[in-house]
Amino acid sequence: MSLLVVGTVAFDSVETPYGKEEMVVGGSAMYIGYSASYFVQDIKMVSIIGDDFSEGELNSMEDKGMNLDGIEKVKGGKSFFWAGKYHDDFNGRDTLVTDLNVLADFDPVLPQHYKDSKYIMLGNLTPDIQISVLDQLNDKPDLVMLDTMNFWINNTPDDLRKVLKRIDILTINDEEARMLSGEHALARAAAKIQAMGPYYIVIKRGEHGALLFYNDKTFFAPALLLQTLIDPTGAGDCFAGGFIGYLAKTQNLSFENMKRAIIHGSALASFCVEDFSNWNIKRLSLDQIDQRVNRFYDLTQFSLV
Ligand code: AMP
């Protein structure tokens, strides 16, 4: 099953309580692509970069099964750049810089062989680009999942509302769910966001795990208690990539399978935070992922008698 991923491929400068890294590879699509690559062989990437992006990084993405025909390279252009600094608790962060650079004028044109994709991951990026990608598909896909953040909720609220009407699953963090809905209680926030379009809402809560809402059903997945926490950047994207990658692999969109997808997404996110950039998530084995999924299972099992 092929998965189309749209999002940023970028440079990040990140400061966490553990340390600091300047101009490392980042971007929502990059993180999603790597984490989905452990479940799906055929990943079609849509993004834009400048000619400052290293060929070596692009080759590593191709080696993991990502097709880069949909990544536009702008001669003389600069790639999207984001800088952030995490608070002492690692959970909160301040965005210091968002330089759209080549993203500002991106008008994606999907290669022909992308247009029949059935699983679509609209990673964090300008909502009008997310809409344009949906408009270019030949048929209605099986599943459209979208991730967004405060930057787009604040800067492009109307376009975001438009794209929300066309998706099945929204992943969003708790603070942003409150911002988007105007509700503090997460159950009410999820209900309000559901009324905006998506059937399923996944609320990410960092070290407090993730919640899945579908009509009156709710599921909670904890986060693992990790010994090593270095850089949370990309955790949300890795979660999304693991989640939709697992769904695309299993092709089962039941609520029960969504629960398994949440656990697989959480497992990929847990690897992401153990190092800066893509350094950990590009070198995983399927065995390591299985072992981590089993740790989630052990963490949540109990008997009523
Ligand atoms: P996450 O920690 O999951 O929110 O993802 C962080 C990644 O998203 C970083 O690698 C950034 O390059 C990228 N990013 C930051 N801000 C934006 C934005 N406004 N739109 C798209 N991608 C972004």
Side-chain angles (χ1 to χ4, degrees):
M1 180 53 69
S2 78
L3 170 66
L4 187 151
V5 176
V6 54
T8 46
V9 175
F11 288 116
D12 294 342
S13 289
V14 182
E15 187 172 347
T16 82
Y18 177 87
K20 201 170 169 181
E21 286 296 333
E22 306 273 355
M23 294 296 280
V24 287
V25 171
S28 52
M30 185 282 295
Y31 281 112
I32 293 166
Y34 272 110
S35 48
S37 72
Y38 295 99
F39 306 101
V40 186
Q41 271 74 50
D42 183 10
I43 302 177
K44 299 180 185 324
M45 303 287 283
V46 180
S47 194
I48 187 163
I49 52 177
D51 54 13
D52 47 1
F53 214 81
S54 100
E55 279 299 317
E57 279 296 337
L58 297 173
N59 293 341
S60 304
M61 290 165 75
E62 281 178 326
D63 291 345
K64 282 280 185 190
M66 289 176 241
N67 182 293
L68 308 187
D69 294 349
I71 297 197
E72 188 182 329
K73 290 179 206 138
V74 181
K75 270 214 160 123
K78 282 172 78 179
S79 302
F80 178 86
F81 172 70
W82 176 80
K85 183 173 176 180
Y86 286 81
H87 303 166
D88 286 343
D89 64 0
F90 273 94
N91 257 348
R93 76 177 176 203
D94 297 318
T95 289
L96 305 177
V97 184
T98 302
D99 281 340
L100 297 180
N101 295 330
V102 289
L103 185 68
D105 302 314
F106 187 33
D107 188 8
V109 179
L110 292 194
Q112 277 306 327
H113 66 106
Y114 278 40
K115 293 187 176 178
D116 292 319
S117 302
K118 290 291 172 212
Y119 283 73
I120 313 293
M121 179 67 224
L122 303 174
N124 186 17
L125 165 118
T126 329
D128 64 352
I129 295 175
Q130 296 172 323
I131 291 170
S132 156
V133 167
L134 290 181
D135 285 344
Q136 293 177 59
L137 297 172
N138 284 337
D139 301 305
K140 196 179 163 332
D142 292 349
L143 186 80
V144 181
M145 179 160 149
L146 179 138
D147 187 50
T148 193
M149 72 186 290
N150 48 8
F151 188 86
W152 305 115
I153 298 171
N154 290 329
N155 293 327
T156 52
D158 296 339
D159 283 343
L160 183 61
R161 288 295 182 116
K162 273 187 214 153
V163 69
L164 284 177
K165 289 198 174 78
R166 300 178 59 181
I167 65 165
D168 303 297
I169 307 182
L170 173 70
T171 59
I172 190 164
N173 78 25
D174 42 9
E175 192 189 321
E176 289 150 1
R178 290 181 172 122
M179 193 186 281
L180 180 62
S181 64
E183 294 285 348
H184 186 80
L186 291 177
R188 288 177 74 101
K192 267 210 169 166
I193 298 171
Q194 250 168 358
M196 297 175 194
Y199 305 111
Y200 291 90
I201 315 290
V202 178
I203 299 187
K204 300 169 285 181
R205 308 200 65 206
E207 65 173 344
H208 304 297
L211 290 157
L212 169 68
F213 294 91
Y214 175 62
N215 294 333
D216 55 351
K217 293 182 184 162
T218 309
F219 175 69
F220 169 68
L224 284 184
L225 296 163
L226 297 171
Q227 307 274 350
T228 313
L229 177 51
I230 291 181
D231 173 17
T233 307
D237 304 311
C238 287
F239 173 89
F243 183 97
I244 198 163
Y246 182 81
L247 290 178
K249 176 184 171 185
T250 52
Q251 292 185 51
N252 171 351
L253 299 179
S254 68
F255 188 71
E256 284 308 307
N257 203 47
M258 296 259 174
K259 293 181 186 176
R260 290 187 280 270
I262 282 231
I263 298 296
H264 283 79
S266 303
L268 266 300
S270 75
F271 285 114
C272 176
V273 303
E274 288 179 322
D275 214 336
F276 284 104
S277 184
N278 56 16
W279 301 345
N280 209 25
I281 50 146
K282 69 200 288 189
R283 61 181 176 214
L284 300 176
S285 69
L286 292 178
D287 266 0
Q288 277 176 294
I289 296 173
D290 282 349
Q291 281 170 22
R292 220 158 254 201
V293 167
N294 286 330
R295 276 177 62 190
F296 277 95
Y297 185 78
D298 293 341
L299 186 65
T300 50
Q301 285 310 295
F302 73 100
S303 162
L304 277 179
V305 286

